[in-house]
Amino acid sequence: MTDTPPAPSADLAFALELAELADAISLPRFRAADLAVETKPDRTFVTDADRAVEEALRARIESERPGDSFFGEESGRAERGERRWIIDPIDGTSNFLRGVPNWGTLIALEIAGSPTVGVVSAPAFGARWWAETGGGAWGRTAGEAVRRLRVSGVRELEHASLSFQSIEQWDLAGYLQPLIALARSVWRDRAYGDMWSYMLLAEGLVDIVAEFDVKPYDLAALVPIVREAGGRFTDIAGNASAWNGSSLATNGALHDAVVALIDGARA
């Protein structure tokens, strides 16, 4: 297995160009004194940076990939075919508006319902992660060489590190007892949050990530990166979908045990 990334496909190269465009818009607005923040009908926040990033990426996609569909968190859908770009302009908006650097732009290309290209760009961290099906998963931090991503080799829950996102998510979904059971079964639990939890998993630094109340634009870009790093990505019940409102990502070796433990704790 080579540690040199292959030449990107035209789709991945385009996704990486979109990430550069997004960073150029979002980073100057991070910790800006005049950042405009609104509350959406679902009680989540949106900033002027979210809207500006999505507008720019959508315009570029519609200009250069006019036959492709589009699905963005802020501007909705445009259905044109089985190729769909799925965009979260700023994943971690609450972090962004508070000045916490754990946020990033998520860019995915889904073909016939399967996420095949994923890019996560976190300019406040100076970091980017990307993958396409069959091409491996890769990451780069500013000033460092590109590195291949590989999940951990942890095989026992008692040695595993879990990122569960938030207690409230699990409680509102009716999964508080499974969360407690899972937390008691692992070595340590933390809530690193948002896209970063999944990137830590792909880098082999976390072994299990799970959450609820998530949309496709929260997950689609993460799926290829986790899978190409050697992990598994499903919903909380083990179904291979980013469209069911929950997620479970692991290093693969722990996946079945986590699904069984969560299911058993609900009985």
Side-chain angles (χ1 to χ4, degrees):
M1 182 181 294
T2 179
D3 284 327
T4 301
S9 68
D11 288 328
L12 177 56
F14 181 56
L16 291 168
E17 290 174 9
L18 293 175
E20 291 288 341
L21 174 60
D23 290 356
I25 297 168
S26 62
L27 192 56
R29 300 301 295 150
F30 181 53
R31 297 177 177 168
D34 62 343
L35 183 71
V37 181
E38 299 176 23
T39 302
K40 296 190 288 188
D42 64 0
R43 297 186 297 174
T44 62
F45 297 111
V46 61
T47 70
D48 59 70
D50 292 81
R51 292 200 169 104
V53 170
E54 183 160 321
E55 287 173 7
L57 267 56
R58 183 166 188 164
R60 180 70 64 83
I61 290 167
E62 292 181 343
S63 172
E64 300 192 24
R65 297 289 193 278
D68 292 354
S69 298
F70 180 89
F71 182 20
E73 179 176 7
E74 307 305 335
S75 61
R77 307 187 189 201
E79 301 294 348
R80 299 186 183 93
E82 66 175 12
R83 290 169 47 92
R84 173 174 21 208
W85 293 92
I86 302 177
I87 305 295
D88 189 341
I90 296 182
D91 181 59
T93 297
S94 294
N95 288 333
F96 184 90
L97 64 88
R98 286 294 300 271
V100 177
N102 180 12
W103 56 271
T105 296
L106 311 185
I107 300 165
L109 174 62
E110 179 190 72
I111 300 178
S114 177
T116 61
V117 169
V119 175
V120 174
S121 195
F125 282 159
R128 185 173 296 165
W129 303 265
W130 64 91
E132 61 181 326
T133 301
W138 307 88
R140 185 184 70 233
T141 302
E144 299 180 2
V146 174
R147 65 193 183 282
R148 189 172 192 124
L149 308 182
R150 296 182 178 89
V151 296
S152 76
V154 174
R155 305 191 67 82
E156 304 293 336
L157 283 175
E158 63 182 303
H159 303 307
S161 177
L162 161 71
S163 182
F164 60 84
Q165 302 297 80
S166 83
I167 293 172
E168 183 182 31
Q169 277 188 349
W170 289 68
D171 191 16
L172 292 176
Y175 279 77
L176 182 57
Q177 290 308 311
L179 173 60
I180 293 171
L182 182 58
R184 286 174 173 168
S185 299
V186 300
W187 167 55
R188 74 195 303 254
D189 60 272
R190 294 290 186 273
Y192 296 107
D194 302 301
M195 56 80 197
W196 195 36
S197 295
Y198 298 88
M199 298 304 96
L200 292 174
L201 172 72
E203 292 186 354
L205 307 176
V206 167
D207 312 302
I208 305 162
V209 182
E211 62 178 321
F212 292 88
D213 191 27
V214 281
K215 308 297 190 295
Y217 45 74
D218 298 312
L219 303 177
L222 313 176
V223 174
I225 298 173
V226 168
R227 290 177 177 168
E228 287 296 313
R232 286 182 63 186
F233 202 116
T234 69
D235 67 10
I236 205 71
N239 303 300
S241 174
W243 293 83
N244 293 340
S246 65
S247 65
L248 172 62
T250 75
N251 67 353
L254 297 169
H255 209 88
D256 291 340
V258 176
V259 171
L261 187 153
I262 290 172
D263 186 58
R266 296 195 76 204

